Amino acid sequence: MHSVFYSLHEFMLHTESLTYLVMLISLLGFLGFFLFLTDRDDDQPEDTKPGRHGHH
Amino acid sequence: MSTENTAPNSSKLTPFNLIAGLIVIVGLFITVLRFTKGLGAVSNLSNHSPWGIWIGFDLLVGVALAAGGYVTSAAVYVFGMKRYHSAVRPAVLTGFLGYLFVVIALHYDVGRPWRLPYPFIVGWGTTSLLFEVGLCVALYLTVLFLEFTPAPLEWLGLTKTRNLAVKLTMVLTIFGVVLSTLHQSSLGALFLIAPSKLHPLWYSPYLPVFFFVSSIIAGLSMVIFEGSLSHKAFHHKMDATHLQESDGLVLGFGKAAALVLAGYFTIKIVGITAGNHWHLLTSPYGYWFLVELLGFVALPCLLYAMGAREKNLKLIRFTAAWTVAGIVLNRLNVSVIAFNYHLPVAERYFPHWMEIGISVFMVTLLILVYRFIVTRMPILYGHPDYQANH
């Protein structure tokens, strides 16, 4: 899939377009990852709750 | 809590001490050779590869793994996460010793080490990245020393000076974060000058960003990793607060590391896309790049996340060690393995055994000094005379 480019404009158009797509997919993926990471936070045992030192 | 050394085993002839003693003797021998016979006698450095593992490992890895100091101080003092307070002193000590031994190791690597202060006193090379790195490292080493001073001052009973040092904590933390941001990224920027020498999969205009973001991962992982080792070796020195906060620290830092690793993975993918280097992934170097990206970035990211979700401290501690290995691999890839990739094998750099010997010597000295300090000074416990101030 090694594309041939005849001008810097072609190269930039190609790579920037792909970068925007990657960013979009990454943002959605990051949202899913964040939910995966934090969805059990409410079930934390009392002794590992982050706010146990006076943040309540 | 224990303010005195209550180590159960008082014998000095432990296997660790014997091995460390042997390494120190060999290290001193190589040191004499290095400073009497020159670089050529103890290293495989050449005009093609003037930077070997003394830069790739001792400096780049050393600075990255010493990032725990600024990461923990920033979390506690800047972001107000006081629940991690007990981790600050061990992290600052690790950071201080890390930078100290980076500077000591640098004396082996530069041809004329007595000229190291020249950039500051003879000519200010303000357009040079290396000058910026040198200045930042010198200033940050001073900052870390000042951040560390309350512990020895408490140990020595110098209350007034200690109180003055504690008052500087916030300003030192902010200064430390600024300096770290500058030089962690600049270490990556050093390689921007060599686009034809560094393999395209590792070379990227975003190298400074990669180095800075990965230093945060290194710092978080190193605090967990070093904390786990301290737990095993110096459990008897830890006070109740330290032991109580330890699990929360592992979970919190593990979760943070998972998030930063996810971001790092993303920007690495963006780096490949922006350079249009996808086709290189099917080359031998590409497979090696995938080992680093999938095995030491994506995998620990998932393992940290699973560990944080399931409150699996063992998994997080294992992942921290794995991630530290990944940081070592990344820095060696950029500076040694993927550097000069186009040269024939016969001309490629491979470290002399004495270069490896000096690196092992530096790590051993660091561990010995760390042990000397934590068994004497209030690092893993709060000094009883200053409990109200902690």
Side-chain angles (χ1 to χ4, degrees), chain B residues 73-372:
Chain B
S73 307
V76 173
Y77 298 121
V78 179
F79 298 114
M81 299 174 179
K82 301 291 181 196
R83 59 187 179 277
Y84 303 136
H85 189 267
S86 62
V88 172
R89 279 197 179 177
V92 166
L93 174 63
T94 313
F96 170 58
L97 293 179
Y99 275 87
L100 182 67
F101 280 95
V102 160
V103 174
I104 293 172
L106 197 58
H107 283 73
Y108 288 78
D109 185 75
V110 292
R112 287 182 282 185
W114 56 90
R115 287 199 171 197
L116 270 177
Y118 272 36
F120 314 124
I121 56 172
V122 177
W124 286 60
T126 46
T127 54
S128 160
L129 271 173
L130 209 50
F131 171 76
E132 191 225 329
V133 170
L135 186 63
C136 281
V137 169
L139 287 173
Y140 189 46
L141 180 60
T142 314
V143 165
L144 279 169
F145 172 71
L146 293 173
E147 279 188 290
F148 164 66
T149 47
L153 291 171
E154 285 175 13
W155 179 54
L156 294 168
L158 301 170
T159 310
K160 278 187 183 172
T161 325
R162 179 260 179 206
N163 290 343
L164 181 69
V166 167
K167 279 181 187 161
L168 294 173
T169 302
M170 191 48 145
V171 70
L172 288 173
T173 302
I174 293 169
F175 204 33
V177 170
V178 172
L179 289 169
S180 295
T181 310
L182 286 169
H183 74 267
Q184 293 281 2
S185 54
S186 295
L187 283 172
L190 287 175
F191 292 89
L192 291 179
I193 203 170
S196 58
K197 291 187 175 183
L198 184 56
H199 191 280
L201 282 171
W202 282 273
Y203 180 86
S204 163
Y206 306 123
L207 261 176
V209 184
F210 293 165
F211 266 56
F212 174 64
V213 176
S214 58
S215 84
I216 299 173
I217 299 162
L220 292 165
S221 302
M222 196 59 194
V223 169
I224 300 172
F225 179 60
E226 174 256 315
S228 311
L229 294 181
S230 292
H231 247 267
K232 281 187 182 156
F234 306 111
H235 194 270
H236 58 285
K237 298 296 297 180
M238 293 179 171
D239 63 8
T241 315
H242 206 102
L243 293 169
Q244 194 186 12
E245 289 182 2
S246 160
D247 289 358
L249 175 93
V250 172
L251 279 177
F253 275 37
K255 187 183 279 184
L259 283 172
V260 186
L261 272 163
Y264 182 62
F265 181 78
T266 305
I267 56 174
K268 289 288 273 187
I269 297 292
V270 168
I272 303 172
T273 312
N276 196 37
H277 296 317
W278 290 101
H279 62 285
L280 295 174
L281 290 176
T282 49
S283 65
Y285 270 105
Y287 299 141
W288 185 238
F289 181 81
L290 286 175
V291 167
E292 183 193 317
L293 189 66
L294 300 179
F296 291 91
V297 179
L299 181 65
C301 176
L302 281 178
L303 292 179
Y304 266 135
M306 285 164 62
R309 255 171 77 91
E310 291 160 19
K311 315 285 176 281
N312 188 339
L313 301 177
K314 237 181 188 175
L315 180 61
I316 296 178
R317 288 192 172 114
F318 166 79
T319 310
W322 189 255
T323 310
V324 167
I327 294 293
V328 176
L329 180 70
N330 171 258
R331 296 307 194 255
L332 287 179
N333 275 340
V334 171
S335 63
V336 178
I337 299 167
F339 200 77
N340 278 333
Y341 69 102
H342 56 282
L343 285 181
V345 178
E347 289 179 45
R348 292 292 307 274
Y349 163 81
F350 189 83
H352 194 284
W353 74 265
M354 288 202 243
E355 284 178 76
I356 299 170
I358 286 296
S359 295
V360 175
F361 178 46
M362 288 297 127
V363 174
T364 309
L365 282 183
L366 189 149
I367 294 169
L368 290 174
V369 176
Y370 183 89
R371 187 178 70 168
F372 177 86

Side-chain angles (χ1 to χ4, degrees), chain A residues 1-3 5 11-12 14-20 22-23 26-27 30 33-41 43-45 47-53 55, chain B residues 80-84 206 244-248 251 254-256 258-260 262-263 266 269-270 273-276 278-279 301-302 304-306 308-311:
Chain A
M1 57 173 281
H2 187 26
S3 322
F5 302 105
F11 177 79
M12 294 302 286
H14 177 78
T15 54
E16 291 293 300
S17 307
L18 278 179
T19 303
Y20 282 120
V22 167
M23 289 305 297
S26 302
L27 281 172
F30 205 77
F33 180 72
F34 187 79
L35 292 174
F36 171 76
L37 187 64
T38 56
D39 70 345
R40 287 193 192 169
D41 275 8
D43 305 325
Q44 280 186 73
D47 61 340
T48 56
K49 271 193 176 174
R52 71 199 161 88
H53 286 284
H55 282 276
Chain B
M81 299 174 179
K82 301 291 181 196
R83 59 187 179 277
Y84 303 136
Y206 306 123
Q244 194 186 12
E245 289 182 2
S246 160
D247 289 358
L251 279 177
K255 187 183 279 184
L259 283 172
V260 186
T266 305
I269 297 292
V270 168
T273 312
N276 196 37
W278 290 101
H279 62 285
C301 176
L302 281 178
Y304 266 135
M306 285 164 62
R309 255 171 77 91
E310 291 160 19
K311 315 285 176 281

Side-chain angles (χ1 to χ4, degrees), chain B residues 20-32 353-354 357-358 361:
Chain B
L22 190 70
I23 292 170
V24 169
I25 291 167
V26 175
L28 288 173
F29 170 73
I30 303 171
T31 302
V32 172
W353 74 265
M354 288 202 243
I358 286 296
F361 178 46

